[in-house]
Amino acid sequence: MHEMSLVQGLFEQLKGLAAENNSTKVLSVTMEIGPICGVVVDSFQFGFEILSSQEEMFKNTELIIEIPEVTYTCTSCGHQEVSAGERPDACAKCDEFFLTPSGGDDLILKRVEME
């Protein structure tokens, strides 16, 4: 479960931001987790919940997760499908299995609210 180490890295980044802004408490964190970035959202949330309870700066911090859409382009007919969930099994127009994804492969810290 590499999500735990990702959350640890996020907390280190947040501590740095808090120090730069003379803040002692992180109120909310908004993350963008692309559906094909290799991060399991439930595991990331679990890691965040466990680790945030262990440090005063992150106790009761709200984690907001945004999942962007991915555009899948059919390699056969060029038809495009947009999804923020599961990858389509096949092209809806021609049933081709090879679909090329575009976007949705990032893990981004978008917003932080501190006091």
Side-chain angles (χ1 to χ4, degrees), residues 49-94:
E49 182 180 313
I50 295 299
L51 294 177
S52 66
S53 68
Q54 298 174 1
E55 294 195 43
E56 194 60 38
M57 176 179 279
F58 303 113
K59 283 189 179 171
N60 299 316
T61 299
E62 180 184 16
L63 174 63
I64 301 164
I65 294 178
E66 297 176 355
I67 299 175
E69 294 181 330
V70 178
T71 300
Y72 294 94
T73 303
C74 176
T75 58
S76 180
C77 71
H79 175 73
Q80 293 186 330
E81 282 190 52
V82 178
S83 172
E86 295 285 320
R87 178 189 183 280
D89 291 332
C91 176
K93 193 171 179 182
C94 72

